[in-house]
Amino acid sequence: MDQNTNLLVVSAHAGDFVWRGGGTIAKYVKAGAKVSLVILSYGARGESNDLWKIEGQTLDNVKSVRRSEIEAAIKCLGVKDYEIWDYQDYHMTITPERTLQLLKKIRKVQPQVILTHGPRDAFNPDHETVSRFVFEASVLATSAGVRDVELPKIKQPKIFGFEPHQSEISDFKPEVIVDITDTYEQKYEAMNCFKAQKHLIEYYAAKAALRGNHARRCSGNQQYKYAEAFSRFFPLVGGELI
Ligand SMILES: [Zn+2]
């Protein structure tokens, strides 16, 4: 990755991009890549449980807390270009207009790489919906004949799926493991911005260490301490076995 790399990250809810890809995102930012982040919802309904325990809580207040958490977290990761689309979550519905909205965003960003949710998540239908949504919009973005879009078509980006919360139950297999040792501190700080989901911080800290172990075992590189795992939507293509 370098300053010619465009990475588009699509996160279903407020914190997903941090728990599942924060170290990798910070790595791309550090390398000078152009990182664009779209957060489709605040996760106000399904991923803000601690906030709803407060008496007299309102939807507007939950959203505003989550907005400040997002803003603090992206600061830790160094992301500057971000949008929150404020879709309703749990459950999230995708309309043709929304597909067009994402298609336009993809053509504008022209990403070589998209990072989003993988196809299976046993306990989170929104994540599966978003996986399909991003896949479809990205394929449409490559087609010259799509209606109502002025922006030129793009080449098919590579798409990588986040590791779901319950990996084995969701049939997740790490197909790519990214070393995040250099940006782990940033990820840890970003995770700590999410007070509404405090219980997840230690869980994802442990997961980064576990994947770090796998990274060492698979590569022989003992410098890898922390890592994040992803699935691939398409096969790796090249001129040799790499
Ligand atoms: Zn989520």
Side-chain angles (χ1 to χ4, degrees), residues 158-211:
K158 293 176 195 164
I159 310 180
F160 295 91
F162 295 136
E163 177 164 2
H165 191 60
Q166 310 283 1
S167 312
E168 295 83 356
I169 299 167
S170 304
D171 295 332
F172 175 82
K173 200 172 175 185
E175 290 170 307
V176 178
I177 299 179
V178 177
D179 163 47
I180 59 160
T181 307
D182 287 348
T183 52
Y184 177 71
E185 282 307 316
Q186 283 173 267
K187 176 175 180 162
Y188 194 72
E189 268 176 46
M191 292 198 295
N192 273 284
C193 298
F194 291 102
K195 306 275 182 284
Q197 293 174 285
K198 247 183 162 170
H199 57 289
L200 294 180
I201 296 169
E202 288 317 307
Y203 183 92
Y204 279 97
K207 193 155 254 188
L210 175 79
R211 293 308 181 200

Side-chain angles (χ1 to χ4, degrees), residues 14-164:
D16 294 324
F17 69 99
V18 174
W19 312 119
R20 319 208 151 89
T24 302
I25 293 167
K27 227 178 152 177
Y28 272 75
V29 172
K30 236 181 177 174
K34 189 175 173 297
V35 176
S36 305
L37 169 65
V38 173
I39 300 161
L40 296 173
S41 78
Y42 288 100
R45 292 295 178 195
E47 296 187 7
S48 303
N49 290 337
D50 290 356
L51 291 174
W52 288 108
K53 286 175 192 158
I54 300 164
E55 215 176 305
Q57 189 59 276
T58 63
L59 182 60
D60 278 350
N61 189 56
V62 169
K63 284 185 181 179
S64 117
V65 171
R66 304 250 54 193
R67 172 176 277 279
S68 34
E69 290 179 350
I70 290 167
E71 283 167 357
I74 60 167
K75 236 182 187 175
C76 299
L77 303 180
V79 175
K80 295 203 170 62
D81 174 13
Y82 75 104
E83 293 171 13
I84 304 170
W85 288 2
D86 196 14
Y87 291 180
Q88 190 182 293
D89 70 313
Y90 280 73
H91 64 284
M92 193 177 282
T93 46
I94 300 305
T95 59
E97 292 73 31
R98 287 181 169 183
T99 302
L100 198 62
Q101 182 186 14
L102 183 57
L103 188 165
K104 284 180 183 166
K105 179 70 183 177
I106 292 171
R107 286 200 176 176
K108 220 173 120 195
V109 171
Q110 302 184 3
Q112 295 93 1
V113 182
I114 297 179
L115 187 54
T116 190
H117 299 269
R120 286 272 292 123
D121 200 324
F123 297 104
N124 201 311
D126 280 3
H127 292 175
E128 296 192 355
T129 299
V130 170
S131 185
R132 183 84 204 160
F133 176 43
V134 174
F135 166 72
E136 286 189 9
S138 82
V139 172
L140 288 171
T142 68
S143 173
V146 171
R147 290 165 296 167
D148 307 325
V149 187
E150 299 295 315
L151 298 155
K153 72 183 178 87
I154 60 159
K155 281 188 205 159
Q156 178 64 52
K158 293 176 195 164
I159 310 180
F160 295 91
F162 295 136
E163 177 164 2

